[in-house]
Amino acid sequence: MPVKPKWEQLADHIRGQIESGELQPGDRLPSTVQLTTQHNVSTTVVRQAILVLQTQGWVQGVHGLGVFVAERQTD
């Protein structure tokens, strides 16, 4: 099985933290610099992972403040 790209691995990791309750709605994600250091990846990898999570509705960016866990709709 092919190895997932690093951005996808990072997105899966953050998504897992949200699903497990480690990160709650309204919590601020670590900064891009912190994520690059913690996960030993490039800024591009972090940005791609965050973009995917935003598109999927897991997080939302607030200009000048950071990226926050979004409120999830439960059906």
Side-chain angles (χ1 to χ4, degrees):
M1 176 172 224
V3 176
K4 287 183 179 180
K6 287 184 179 182
W7 65 264
E8 192 172 352
Q9 292 175 35
L10 179 57
D12 288 348
H13 175 76
I14 295 169
R15 193 179 304 108
Q17 289 180 303
I18 295 169
E19 289 176 328
S20 74
E22 186 178 339
L23 290 172
Q24 297 286 322
D27 284 354
R28 186 175 180 272
L29 267 57
S31 70
T32 300
V33 172
Q34 290 171 319
L35 288 169
T36 58
T37 303
Q38 290 171 1
H39 297 278
N40 196 29
V41 295
S42 70
T43 303
T44 304
V45 168
V46 172
R47 288 184 183 145
Q48 181 65 29
I50 297 299
L51 179 62
V52 168
L53 292 170
Q54 285 178 318
T55 302
Q56 295 172 343
W58 289 98
V59 300
Q60 57 190 16
V62 179
H63 186 73
L65 294 178
V67 179
F68 298 84
V69 177
E71 294 284 341
R72 298 290 294 172
Q73 299 298 321
T74 54
D75 295 335

